[in-house]
Amino acid sequence: MAQVITDAQGVKRYLINLSVNGDTHTLMVKGNSLLVNVLREDLELTGTKKGCELGDCGSCTVLMDGKPVNSCMVLAVEAEGRAITTIEGVAPNDKLDKLQESFIDHAAIQCGYCTPGMILSGKALLTRNPHPTEEEVREAISGNLCRCTGYVNIVKAILAASEQE
Amino acid sequence: MSLDERITPEQAATQVGTASGENKEYSVIGKSVGRIDGRAKVTGQAKYTGDLKFPGMLYGKILTSPHAHARILSIDTSEAEKLPGVKAVITHKDVPSLKYGISPARWDENIFCIDKVLFVGDKVAAVAAVDEETVYKALKLIKVEYEVLPAVLDPLKAMDEGQAQLHEDYPRNLNTEIHQSFGDVDKALAEAYHVRTDYFVGQRAYQSPIEPHSAISVWEDDKLTVYSSTQSPHYFQYYIARQFGLPMGKVRVLKTHIGGGFGGKLEPTGLEFAGAVLAKLTGRPVKMFYDRHEMFAHNRGRHRQYMKLSTGVDQNGKILGVHADFVMDGGAYTSLGVASAYYAGALLTILYDFDNYKFDMYRVYTNLPACGAQRGHGHPQPRFAFESHLDNIAKDLGIDPIELRLRNARKANTVTPNDFKVESCALTEAIEKARDISNWKQKRSHRPQGRGIGIGLGAFVSGAGYPIYRTNLPHASAVIKVNEDGSSATLYTGAVDIGQGSDTILCQMAAEAMGYSFAKMQIISADTEAAPHDFGAYASRQTLMSGWAVKEAGEEIKAQLLNTAAGIMGYAVEELDCRDERIFVKDQPEISKSFAEVAKEFFVTQGPLVGKGSYTPPKLGGKFKGAAVGTSPAYSFAAQVTEVEVDEETGEVKIVEAWDVHDCGKVINPALLHAQVHGAFYMGMGEAVWEEVKFDDQGRILNSNLAEYRLPTALDMPKFHSELVDSYEPNAPWGVKEVGEGATTPTMGSISNAIFDAIGVRISSLPMSYEKVWRALKEKRKQQTT
Ligand code: FES
Ligand code: FES
């Protein structure tokens, strides 16, 4: 159980350890703090985007223990003890992940606002299912909205990366 | 840039490669190089305005009206001001009362409403506080007393006697009235073999970029800097300076990355105006932002249009005359609506060759969010109507819809009745190719139950012939600076990459013109201080217009380098050329020097190696009222074929496959070009079947979120083919034309015609939802049984 500290106004704050991209961060968060805001504001990992804050667009997608979640729908306190991967953690060093390369090679990026979420949803799919069908790719990214690409090249990029497995 | 410096079509024919982009003449353009911002965007490094933070930054939001039409009796901000953490609360009393708007013809907006609010979401007050939570709490503490007034929600009744009036200056809620007539339509229709009249209705659609708008205002002494998710730093700078009485040089507007615009981020919003005032009052940077609901309420999306079309044809289906009679729901303010209204009629003449044309339009005010320019600006709904209308005529005459289009298709080097000069035009080739690759004939004649195939054509301007406000500034300009040692070059341009890829293609163009390589290009764009002026990303203008300026700047660099090289190498300038970073003797290419070496020598002997360019279009268009709207140096053309499957039990429409064939001139980056077509089709498809902003009877939006405003997902997108036809535009750098907006114009028509082909009934209002299809089928069955 996270340690709780109550301030003079009676607001409770929880001391949590958050594991993000392999690093552990010790943070004080309110009970209603959203994971997306803690990532963006406290940890300055602004690669995780906010498009709706209602769980509709998928631009805030991160991986929690390998599964894609909308981080605007997750409380920071719920994320304690889970392994969180954000877009900044996909390429562990200077070299890009092959899915990231594939997005560039297939012109699957336009404005790029959906891109972090798309890559993480794609990544989760390929980990679970290294050789998905086109339909499975479409299914896997159907919670990620993109207003620019019509998904055509995003689907191609994910399929092409899967062929390199 | 004078006209005679441009390449002739004959010269071009020998230089230009094929549509596939294969080209021996060019080193950098015509190739699908990866985006210059690709790495930043796949790693999460790319910063958007909402990702930026400044020391001491405050958060700000706008309080909006809960009523569609009401008088403001009083505003009490005292409780909000007392809340700990609140740093400033402002209302109309704290800001200039000067009216503004992006269309200078109708300045009708105030930073905050003074006497009346005009729609649910109109701006009343704003707060700046230490964090978001405090801002939201403070907004709730502002007390506004309203006297609710009757609201005008039905655009067709807005002009009636006895209706409430929105703006005193515009009686009968008439915002824009247009009556244009070319040739003699009455005579043409009277003499026609067949005349048909149809009615169509569009819907309110919203751009829905995935990035919400935000703006950060920072003052240093008397200079204001605004970071904004903007499609045009220039227009923002111009209107912000005007509003606060500042010289433009004291206002710097820039963007970092921007998460899509599609027309919705072309004009400054309350976020910039209120933010600037809050930042001034508090002496701290202020970040203002919209949430998804507020984006829908701010709107500036597609107008709902009511469209009556009458067309007369001869026995062979040749169009003799067209009368378009439209009403447009503008919402509470003008926004870009004057131009939208003109565009609606202006571009109806572009695809088919006819001499007699009449256009009547009423854009009316209603107590709903203001509409503006959405991808294809004013044109997509009339185009949907006309393409559907044409298929109805084809059916009346028993002519195949493609055959009818081929008989009327515009040709190169023609002039429309409303005086648009069309030089390059490969529309016929595009139609034929779309017919062939979609296997049209076979599919049309052997149609399984529930399946249908339809065609729609589209076109668009490659940049507007005239800017939004009157000015003699060039439309585009660019500077290129080569690094001292020649190892890189930076392009400075006001052009705005909103995702379409202009930073990438302009760097390709720069490298081509200089004889340099793309990999060594860098760019600083869309910053009114760091880069020279450009009007920005709208009217599909940048490839052609910004491209001209970049080409000229690159050629200036090359000329200076060749001059220096001539001295070092002992050859005449005319004997030398530069390509792929090598300066060489044309007749003996093995005699060469590297670009970097000569560039360094230039710097040592003559100082910075800089090239500059600018572009102003020639005088275009006729002399009648509104003649400027729709003028352009060049027009793109497209044919789209769509195949659909309709579930006759449920009315569900599935888009099965689609083919787009484009005439967009010479292609600079084929991969980015096709990507534009994909996205444009996607947006048109959403508007064709699902997307519609809906309101209750109080003018409140019912579906201001991305679940109920239904954007298509990856599961809705059909198998899609994007193809090109060879084309070269003499008025453009390297023969280019636009693609991003034009590609959205044929889509609704082609889907409408495919559904018509599938079920034999015309759905004449957008979106062509499952429910409407189901009702139409039910009606059809009823009629068949009686
Ligand atoms: S921001 Fe989380 S789903 Fe849209
Ligand atoms: S690339 Fe713009 S939203 Fe997907």
mmCIF file of all heavy atoms in Angstrom, chain A residues 30 40-41 46 49 51 87 94 100 109-112 138 146-151 153, chain B residues 39 41-42 47-48 50-51 53 133 206-207 292 499 675-676 678-679 691 712 714 717:
data_model
loop_
_atom_site.group_PDB
_atom_site.id
_atom_site.type_symbol
_atom_site.label_atom_id
_atom_site.label_comp_id
_atom_site.label_asym_id
_atom_site.label_seq_id
_atom_site.Cartn_x
_atom_site.Cartn_y
_atom_site.Cartn_z
ATOM 1 N N LYS A 30 -1.816 12.837 -6.304
ATOM 2 C CA LYS A 30 -3.150 12.819 -5.705
ATOM 3 C C LYS A 30 -3.880 11.551 -6.150
ATOM 4 O O LYS A 30 -3.520 10.948 -7.167
ATOM 5 C CB LYS A 30 -3.949 14.033 -6.179
ATOM 6 C CG LYS A 30 -3.474 15.332 -5.560
ATOM 7 C CD LYS A 30 -4.479 16.402 -5.895
ATOM 8 C CE LYS A 30 -3.914 17.776 -5.636
ATOM 9 N NZ LYS A 30 -4.743 18.822 -6.227
ATOM 10 N N ARG A 40 3.458 13.310 -18.367
ATOM 11 C CA ARG A 40 3.770 14.532 -19.122
ATOM 12 C C ARG A 40 4.286 15.658 -18.235
ATOM 13 O O ARG A 40 5.236 16.348 -18.583
ATOM 14 C CB ARG A 40 2.514 15.012 -19.874
ATOM 15 C CG ARG A 40 2.150 14.138 -21.075
ATOM 16 C CD ARG A 40 0.820 14.582 -21.694
ATOM 17 N NE ARG A 40 0.822 16.012 -21.967
ATOM 18 C CZ ARG A 40 1.328 16.556 -23.067
ATOM 19 N NH1 ARG A 40 1.854 15.805 -24.013
ATOM 20 N NH2 ARG A 40 1.295 17.867 -23.240
ATOM 21 N N GLU A 41 3.633 15.846 -17.091
ATOM 22 C CA GLU A 41 3.968 17.009 -16.274
ATOM 23 C C GLU A 41 5.115 16.711 -15.314
ATOM 24 O O GLU A 41 6.068 17.472 -15.236
ATOM 25 C CB GLU A 41 2.741 17.470 -15.467
ATOM 26 C CG GLU A 41 1.538 17.844 -16.318
ATOM 27 C CD GLU A 41 1.749 19.099 -17.145
ATOM 28 O OE1 GLU A 41 2.489 19.987 -16.698
ATOM 29 O OE2 GLU A 41 1.180 19.175 -18.263
ATOM 30 N N THR A 46 6.762 14.045 -22.692
ATOM 31 C CA THR A 46 5.641 14.611 -23.457
ATOM 32 C C THR A 46 5.415 13.897 -24.788
ATOM 33 O O THR A 46 4.552 14.319 -25.569
ATOM 34 C CB THR A 46 5.869 16.114 -23.727
ATOM 35 O OG1 THR A 46 7.161 16.269 -24.321
ATOM 36 C CG2 THR A 46 5.804 16.910 -22.440
ATOM 37 N N LYS A 49 0.818 11.769 -25.880
ATOM 38 C CA LYS A 49 -0.010 12.923 -26.232
ATOM 39 C C LYS A 49 -1.392 12.849 -25.593
ATOM 40 O O LYS A 49 -1.846 11.782 -25.178
ATOM 41 C CB LYS A 49 -0.176 12.988 -27.759
ATOM 42 C CG LYS A 49 1.140 13.094 -28.510
ATOM 43 C CD LYS A 49 1.899 14.345 -28.130
ATOM 44 C CE LYS A 49 3.234 14.437 -28.812
ATOM 45 N NZ LYS A 49 4.193 15.247 -28.061
ATOM 46 N N GLY A 51 -5.289 13.816 -26.719
ATOM 47 C CA GLY A 51 -6.144 14.296 -27.802
ATOM 48 C C GLY A 51 -7.580 14.476 -27.348
ATOM 49 O O GLY A 51 -8.353 15.176 -28.002
ATOM 50 N N ILE A 87 6.580 6.122 -25.467
ATOM 51 C CA ILE A 87 7.268 6.191 -26.761
ATOM 52 C C ILE A 87 8.760 6.444 -26.575
ATOM 53 O O ILE A 87 9.586 5.945 -27.345
ATOM 54 C CB ILE A 87 6.609 7.250 -27.684
ATOM 55 C CG1 ILE A 87 7.171 7.164 -29.104
ATOM 56 C CG2 ILE A 87 6.783 8.667 -27.148
ATOM 57 C CD1 ILE A 87 6.837 5.925 -29.852
ATOM 58 N N ASP A 94 20.414 4.880 -29.166
ATOM 59 C CA ASP A 94 20.377 5.747 -30.332
ATOM 60 C C ASP A 94 19.729 5.081 -31.548
ATOM 61 O O ASP A 94 19.296 5.743 -32.478
ATOM 62 C CB ASP A 94 21.823 6.169 -30.662
ATOM 63 C CG ASP A 94 21.846 7.247 -31.727
ATOM 64 O OD1 ASP A 94 21.026 8.176 -31.604
ATOM 65 O OD2 ASP A 94 22.639 7.137 -32.670
ATOM 66 N N GLN A 100 9.694 1.675 -35.588
ATOM 67 C CA GLN A 100 9.893 3.121 -35.793
ATOM 68 C C GLN A 100 10.501 3.378 -37.175
ATOM 69 O O GLN A 100 10.047 4.261 -37.910
ATOM 70 C CB GLN A 100 10.823 3.684 -34.703
ATOM 71 C CG GLN A 100 10.174 3.685 -33.320
ATOM 72 C CD GLN A 100 11.167 4.053 -32.226
ATOM 73 O OE1 GLN A 100 12.269 3.506 -32.174
ATOM 74 N NE2 GLN A 100 10.780 4.962 -31.352
ATOM 75 N N ILE A 109 3.768 8.578 -41.222
ATOM 76 C CA ILE A 109 3.662 9.711 -40.292
ATOM 77 C C ILE A 109 3.278 10.948 -41.090
ATOM 78 O O ILE A 109 3.872 11.212 -42.131
ATOM 79 C CB ILE A 109 5.029 10.031 -39.657
ATOM 80 C CG1 ILE A 109 5.716 8.780 -39.148
ATOM 81 C CG2 ILE A 109 4.886 11.082 -38.555
ATOM 82 C CD1 ILE A 109 7.227 8.893 -39.224
ATOM 83 N N GLN A 110 2.302 11.678 -40.587
ATOM 84 C CA GLN A 110 2.094 13.018 -41.143
ATOM 85 C C GLN A 110 2.296 14.014 -40.011
ATOM 86 O O GLN A 110 3.428 14.329 -39.671
ATOM 87 C CB GLN A 110 0.753 13.129 -41.845
ATOM 88 C CG GLN A 110 0.792 12.355 -43.183
ATOM 89 C CD GLN A 110 -0.419 12.553 -44.046
ATOM 90 O OE1 GLN A 110 -1.018 13.621 -44.100
ATOM 91 N NE2 GLN A 110 -0.804 11.509 -44.767
ATOM 92 N N CYS A 111 1.199 14.444 -39.373
ATOM 93 C CA CYS A 111 1.421 15.407 -38.296
ATOM 94 C C CYS A 111 2.155 14.774 -37.128
ATOM 95 O O CYS A 111 2.794 15.444 -36.340
ATOM 96 C CB CYS A 111 0.109 16.034 -37.847
ATOM 97 S SG CYS A 111 -0.874 15.005 -36.741
ATOM 98 N N GLY A 112 2.037 13.462 -36.995
ATOM 99 C CA GLY A 112 2.790 12.760 -35.962
ATOM 100 C C GLY A 112 2.136 12.734 -34.593
ATOM 101 O O GLY A 112 2.687 12.163 -33.657
ATOM 102 N N ARG A 138 -5.359 -3.973 -38.339
ATOM 103 C CA ARG A 138 -6.416 -2.949 -38.293
ATOM 104 C C ARG A 138 -7.165 -3.001 -36.959
ATOM 105 O O ARG A 138 -7.470 -1.974 -36.356
ATOM 106 C CB ARG A 138 -7.394 -3.124 -39.460
ATOM 107 C CG ARG A 138 -6.770 -2.764 -40.789
ATOM 108 C CD ARG A 138 -7.735 -2.855 -41.965
ATOM 109 N NE ARG A 138 -7.042 -2.512 -43.195
ATOM 110 C CZ ARG A 138 -6.862 -1.272 -43.630
ATOM 111 N NH1 ARG A 138 -7.367 -0.253 -42.965
ATOM 112 N NH2 ARG A 138 -6.190 -1.037 -44.739
ATOM 113 N N CYS A 146 -6.400 8.413 -36.257
ATOM 114 C CA CYS A 146 -5.464 9.246 -37.008
ATOM 115 C C CYS A 146 -6.292 10.050 -37.984
ATOM 116 O O CYS A 146 -7.098 9.499 -38.721
ATOM 117 C CB CYS A 146 -4.455 8.391 -37.766
ATOM 118 S SG CYS A 146 -3.422 9.398 -38.855
ATOM 119 N N ARG A 147 -6.109 11.354 -37.978
ATOM 120 C CA ARG A 147 -6.897 12.194 -38.868
ATOM 121 C C ARG A 147 -6.164 12.487 -40.177
ATOM 122 O O ARG A 147 -6.739 13.101 -41.065
ATOM 123 C CB ARG A 147 -7.223 13.503 -38.138
ATOM 124 C CG ARG A 147 -8.287 14.368 -38.781
ATOM 125 C CD ARG A 147 -9.587 13.649 -39.017
ATOM 126 N NE ARG A 147 -10.717 14.547 -39.158
ATOM 127 C CZ ARG A 147 -11.892 14.185 -39.651
ATOM 128 N NH1 ARG A 147 -12.101 12.934 -40.047
ATOM 129 N NH2 ARG A 147 -12.890 15.047 -39.723
ATOM 130 N N CYS A 148 -4.904 12.064 -40.263
ATOM 131 C CA CYS A 148 -4.102 12.479 -41.421
ATOM 132 C C CYS A 148 -3.909 11.405 -42.487
ATOM 133 O O CYS A 148 -3.849 11.719 -43.663
ATOM 134 C CB CYS A 148 -2.710 12.914 -40.975
ATOM 135 S SG CYS A 148 -2.689 14.252 -39.794
ATOM 136 N N THR A 149 -3.726 10.170 -42.101
ATOM 137 C CA THR A 149 -3.152 9.184 -43.025
ATOM 138 C C THR A 149 -4.150 8.220 -43.636
ATOM 139 O O THR A 149 -3.784 7.452 -44.529
ATOM 140 C CB THR A 149 -2.127 8.300 -42.291
ATOM 141 O OG1 THR A 149 -2.840 7.556 -41.282
ATOM 142 C CG2 THR A 149 -1.042 9.126 -41.619
ATOM 143 N N GLY A 150 -5.385 8.200 -43.120
ATOM 144 C CA GLY A 150 -6.314 7.158 -43.566
ATOM 145 C C GLY A 150 -5.802 5.770 -43.197
ATOM 146 O O GLY A 150 -6.302 4.775 -43.719
ATOM 147 N N TYR A 151 -4.817 5.725 -42.337
ATOM 148 C CA TYR A 151 -4.242 4.468 -41.800
ATOM 149 C C TYR A 151 -3.528 3.619 -42.849
ATOM 150 O O TYR A 151 -2.941 2.594 -42.518
ATOM 151 C CB TYR A 151 -5.296 3.587 -41.099
ATOM 152 C CG TYR A 151 -6.188 4.333 -40.149
ATOM 153 C CD1 TYR A 151 -7.452 4.761 -40.532
ATOM 154 C CD2 TYR A 151 -5.761 4.633 -38.859
ATOM 155 C CE1 TYR A 151 -8.275 5.476 -39.663
ATOM 156 C CE2 TYR A 151 -6.578 5.348 -37.979
ATOM 157 C CZ TYR A 151 -7.833 5.757 -38.390
ATOM 158 O OH TYR A 151 -8.649 6.441 -37.536
ATOM 159 N N ASN A 153 -0.805 3.807 -44.766
ATOM 160 C CA ASN A 153 0.629 3.544 -44.615
ATOM 161 C C ASN A 153 0.989 3.047 -43.217
ATOM 162 O O ASN A 153 2.026 2.415 -43.033
ATOM 163 C CB ASN A 153 1.435 4.798 -44.956
ATOM 164 C CG ASN A 153 1.361 5.107 -46.448
ATOM 165 O OD1 ASN A 153 0.957 4.262 -47.248
ATOM 166 N ND2 ASN A 153 1.734 6.314 -46.818
ATOM 167 N N ARG B 39 12.260 11.145 -37.600
ATOM 168 C CA ARG B 39 12.870 10.602 -36.388
ATOM 169 C C ARG B 39 12.306 11.281 -35.133
ATOM 170 O O ARG B 39 11.985 10.620 -34.151
ATOM 171 C CB ARG B 39 14.389 10.761 -36.452
ATOM 172 C CG ARG B 39 15.068 9.967 -35.383
ATOM 173 C CD ARG B 39 16.580 10.085 -35.396
ATOM 174 N NE ARG B 39 17.064 9.499 -34.147
ATOM 175 C CZ ARG B 39 17.606 8.288 -34.053
ATOM 176 N NH1 ARG B 39 17.779 7.564 -35.112
ATOM 177 N NH2 ARG B 39 17.954 7.812 -32.866
ATOM 178 N N LYS B 41 9.456 12.471 -34.743
ATOM 179 C CA LYS B 41 8.062 12.084 -34.506
ATOM 180 C C LYS B 41 7.904 10.631 -34.062
ATOM 181 O O LYS B 41 6.944 10.313 -33.370
ATOM 182 C CB LYS B 41 7.216 12.381 -35.749
ATOM 183 C CG LYS B 41 6.949 13.882 -35.899
ATOM 184 C CD LYS B 41 6.157 14.223 -37.148
ATOM 185 C CE LYS B 41 5.768 15.708 -37.132
ATOM 186 N NZ LYS B 41 5.103 16.104 -38.385
ATOM 187 N N VAL B 42 8.812 9.751 -34.442
ATOM 188 C CA VAL B 42 8.658 8.355 -33.988
ATOM 189 C C VAL B 42 9.281 8.118 -32.616
ATOM 190 O O VAL B 42 9.050 7.075 -32.007
ATOM 191 C CB VAL B 42 9.242 7.304 -34.975
ATOM 192 C CG1 VAL B 42 8.508 7.329 -36.296
ATOM 193 C CG2 VAL B 42 10.741 7.470 -35.169
ATOM 194 N N LYS B 47 8.119 18.218 -30.236
ATOM 195 C CA LYS B 47 7.318 18.978 -29.268
ATOM 196 C C LYS B 47 6.204 19.728 -29.992
ATOM 197 O O LYS B 47 6.462 20.428 -30.980
ATOM 198 C CB LYS B 47 8.200 19.996 -28.555
ATOM 199 C CG LYS B 47 9.256 19.373 -27.665
ATOM 200 C CD LYS B 47 8.748 19.205 -26.260
ATOM 201 C CE LYS B 47 9.886 18.816 -25.327
ATOM 202 N NZ LYS B 47 9.381 18.231 -24.081
ATOM 203 N N TYR B 48 5.015 19.606 -29.475
ATOM 204 C CA TYR B 48 3.869 20.374 -29.964
ATOM 205 C C TYR B 48 3.640 21.485 -28.944
ATOM 206 O O TYR B 48 4.169 21.415 -27.824
ATOM 207 C CB TYR B 48 2.654 19.445 -30.105
ATOM 208 C CG TYR B 48 2.914 18.339 -31.120
ATOM 209 C CD1 TYR B 48 3.778 17.295 -30.811
ATOM 210 C CD2 TYR B 48 2.345 18.366 -32.389
ATOM 211 C CE1 TYR B 48 4.063 16.303 -31.741
ATOM 212 C CE2 TYR B 48 2.624 17.375 -33.326
ATOM 213 C CZ TYR B 48 3.483 16.347 -32.991
ATOM 214 O OH TYR B 48 3.780 15.370 -33.910
ATOM 215 N N GLY B 50 1.401 22.266 -26.893
ATOM 216 C CA GLY B 50 0.941 21.823 -25.579
ATOM 217 C C GLY B 50 2.012 21.102 -24.768
ATOM 218 O O GLY B 50 1.831 20.851 -23.572
ATOM 219 N N ASP B 51 3.118 20.750 -25.401
ATOM 220 C CA ASP B 51 4.205 20.057 -24.694
ATOM 221 C C ASP B 51 5.217 21.038 -24.108
ATOM 222 O O ASP B 51 6.117 20.630 -23.380
ATOM 223 C CB ASP B 51 4.961 19.127 -25.655
ATOM 224 C CG ASP B 51 4.060 18.070 -26.271
ATOM 225 O OD1 ASP B 51 3.035 17.723 -25.650
ATOM 226 O OD2 ASP B 51 4.376 17.590 -27.377
ATOM 227 N N LYS B 53 6.889 24.119 -21.954
ATOM 228 C CA LYS B 53 6.782 24.651 -20.594
ATOM 229 C C LYS B 53 7.761 25.794 -20.446
ATOM 230 O O LYS B 53 8.865 25.719 -20.982
ATOM 231 C CB LYS B 53 7.202 23.561 -19.605
ATOM 232 C CG LYS B 53 6.079 22.950 -18.820
ATOM 233 C CD LYS B 53 6.652 22.113 -17.699
ATOM 234 C CE LYS B 53 5.577 21.236 -17.094
ATOM 235 N NZ LYS B 53 6.165 20.285 -16.162
ATOM 236 N N GLU B 133 -6.236 22.599 -12.460
ATOM 237 C CA GLU B 133 -7.329 22.340 -11.531
ATOM 238 C C GLU B 133 -7.897 23.650 -10.980
ATOM 239 O O GLU B 133 -9.115 23.835 -10.903
ATOM 240 C CB GLU B 133 -6.787 21.481 -10.381
ATOM 241 C CG GLU B 133 -7.818 20.577 -9.778
ATOM 242 C CD GLU B 133 -7.203 19.676 -8.706
ATOM 243 O OE1 GLU B 133 -6.119 19.101 -8.949
ATOM 244 O OE2 GLU B 133 -7.805 19.580 -7.631
ATOM 245 N N TYR B 206 -16.673 18.755 -38.764
ATOM 246 C CA TYR B 206 -15.602 19.439 -38.037
ATOM 247 C C TYR B 206 -14.250 18.828 -38.390
ATOM 248 O O TYR B 206 -14.134 17.610 -38.509
ATOM 249 C CB TYR B 206 -15.856 19.371 -36.516
ATOM 250 C CG TYR B 206 -14.745 20.020 -35.725
ATOM 251 C CD1 TYR B 206 -14.382 21.341 -36.014
ATOM 252 C CD2 TYR B 206 -14.038 19.330 -34.754
ATOM 253 C CE1 TYR B 206 -13.334 21.937 -35.339
ATOM 254 C CE2 TYR B 206 -12.992 19.929 -34.075
ATOM 255 C CZ TYR B 206 -12.642 21.242 -34.378
ATOM 256 O OH TYR B 206 -11.593 21.829 -33.729
ATOM 257 N N GLN B 207 -13.228 19.673 -38.522
ATOM 258 C CA GLN B 207 -11.902 19.193 -38.944
ATOM 259 C C GLN B 207 -11.371 18.101 -38.031
ATOM 260 O O GLN B 207 -10.697 17.177 -38.497
ATOM 261 C CB GLN B 207 -10.893 20.353 -38.935
ATOM 262 C CG GLN B 207 -11.093 21.388 -40.029
ATOM 263 C CD GLN B 207 -11.888 22.591 -39.549
ATOM 264 O OE1 GLN B 207 -12.466 22.583 -38.469
ATOM 265 N NE2 GLN B 207 -11.934 23.628 -40.362
ATOM 266 N N ARG B 292 -11.377 18.855 -25.950
ATOM 267 C CA ARG B 292 -12.041 18.376 -27.169
ATOM 268 C C ARG B 292 -13.412 19.033 -27.359
ATOM 269 O O ARG B 292 -13.764 19.448 -28.457
ATOM 270 C CB ARG B 292 -12.151 16.847 -27.102
ATOM 271 C CG ARG B 292 -12.664 16.165 -28.329
ATOM 272 C CD ARG B 292 -11.950 16.438 -29.621
ATOM 273 N NE ARG B 292 -10.548 16.137 -29.679
ATOM 274 C CZ ARG B 292 -9.797 16.283 -30.789
ATOM 275 N NH1 ARG B 292 -10.346 16.678 -31.929
ATOM 276 N NH2 ARG B 292 -8.512 16.033 -30.757
ATOM 277 N N GLY B 499 1.816 18.784 -41.029
ATOM 278 C CA GLY B 499 1.754 17.327 -41.137
ATOM 279 C C GLY B 499 1.835 16.864 -42.574
ATOM 280 O O GLY B 499 2.220 15.737 -42.862
ATOM 281 N N ALA B 675 0.308 9.787 -49.689
ATOM 282 C CA ALA B 675 -0.181 9.851 -48.306
ATOM 283 C C ALA B 675 -1.225 10.952 -48.149
ATOM 284 O O ALA B 675 -2.189 10.821 -47.388
ATOM 285 C CB ALA B 675 0.989 10.076 -47.346
ATOM 286 N N GLN B 676 -1.047 12.057 -48.880
ATOM 287 C CA GLN B 676 -2.052 13.119 -48.859
ATOM 288 C C GLN B 676 -3.372 12.622 -49.435
ATOM 289 O O GLN B 676 -4.444 12.933 -48.924
ATOM 290 C CB GLN B 676 -1.573 14.323 -49.686
ATOM 291 C CG GLN B 676 -0.606 15.211 -48.958
ATOM 292 C CD GLN B 676 -1.202 15.761 -47.690
ATOM 293 O OE1 GLN B 676 -2.187 16.485 -47.711
ATOM 294 N NE2 GLN B 676 -0.634 15.385 -46.573
ATOM 295 N N HIS B 678 -4.454 9.555 -49.502
ATOM 296 C CA HIS B 678 -5.077 8.630 -48.535
ATOM 297 C C HIS B 678 -5.880 9.416 -47.486
ATOM 298 O O HIS B 678 -7.028 9.093 -47.201
ATOM 299 C CB HIS B 678 -4.007 7.829 -47.766
ATOM 300 C CG HIS B 678 -3.107 7.012 -48.633
ATOM 301 N ND1 HIS B 678 -1.858 6.613 -48.213
ATOM 302 C CD2 HIS B 678 -3.246 6.533 -49.885
ATOM 303 C CE1 HIS B 678 -1.279 5.901 -49.170
ATOM 304 N NE2 HIS B 678 -2.104 5.837 -50.198
ATOM 305 N N GLY B 679 -5.225 10.420 -46.922
ATOM 306 C CA GLY B 679 -5.863 11.173 -45.837
ATOM 307 C C GLY B 679 -7.051 11.982 -46.326
ATOM 308 O O GLY B 679 -8.039 12.146 -45.614
ATOM 309 N N GLU B 691 -19.781 11.321 -40.316
ATOM 310 C CA GLU B 691 -19.511 12.514 -39.505
ATOM 311 C C GLU B 691 -20.618 13.571 -39.608
ATOM 312 O O GLU B 691 -21.030 13.933 -40.698
ATOM 313 C CB GLU B 691 -18.181 13.151 -39.939
ATOM 314 C CG GLU B 691 -16.985 12.260 -39.660
ATOM 315 C CD GLU B 691 -15.678 12.898 -40.107
ATOM 316 O OE1 GLU B 691 -15.570 14.130 -40.094
ATOM 317 O OE2 GLU B 691 -14.763 12.136 -40.473
ATOM 318 N N PRO B 712 -13.840 7.791 -38.878
ATOM 319 C CA PRO B 712 -13.583 6.410 -39.281
ATOM 320 C C PRO B 712 -12.304 5.870 -38.626
ATOM 321 O O PRO B 712 -11.348 6.617 -38.396
ATOM 322 C CB PRO B 712 -13.400 6.507 -40.797
ATOM 323 C CG PRO B 712 -14.016 7.802 -41.210
ATOM 324 C CD PRO B 712 -13.905 8.710 -40.035
ATOM 325 N N ALA B 714 -9.360 2.456 -38.432
ATOM 326 C CA ALA B 714 -8.609 1.628 -39.387
ATOM 327 C C ALA B 714 -9.487 0.518 -39.967
ATOM 328 O O ALA B 714 -9.224 0.018 -41.058
ATOM 329 C CB ALA B 714 -7.384 1.041 -38.707
ATOM 330 N N MET B 717 -11.532 1.829 -43.197
ATOM 331 C CA MET B 717 -10.824 2.271 -44.407
ATOM 332 C C MET B 717 -10.749 1.115 -45.397
ATOM 333 O O MET B 717 -10.340 0.015 -45.050
ATOM 334 C CB MET B 717 -9.430 2.749 -44.005
ATOM 335 C CG MET B 717 -8.671 3.464 -45.081
ATOM 336 S SD MET B 717 -9.378 5.082 -45.529
ATOM 337 C CE MET B 717 -8.278 5.490 -46.909
#
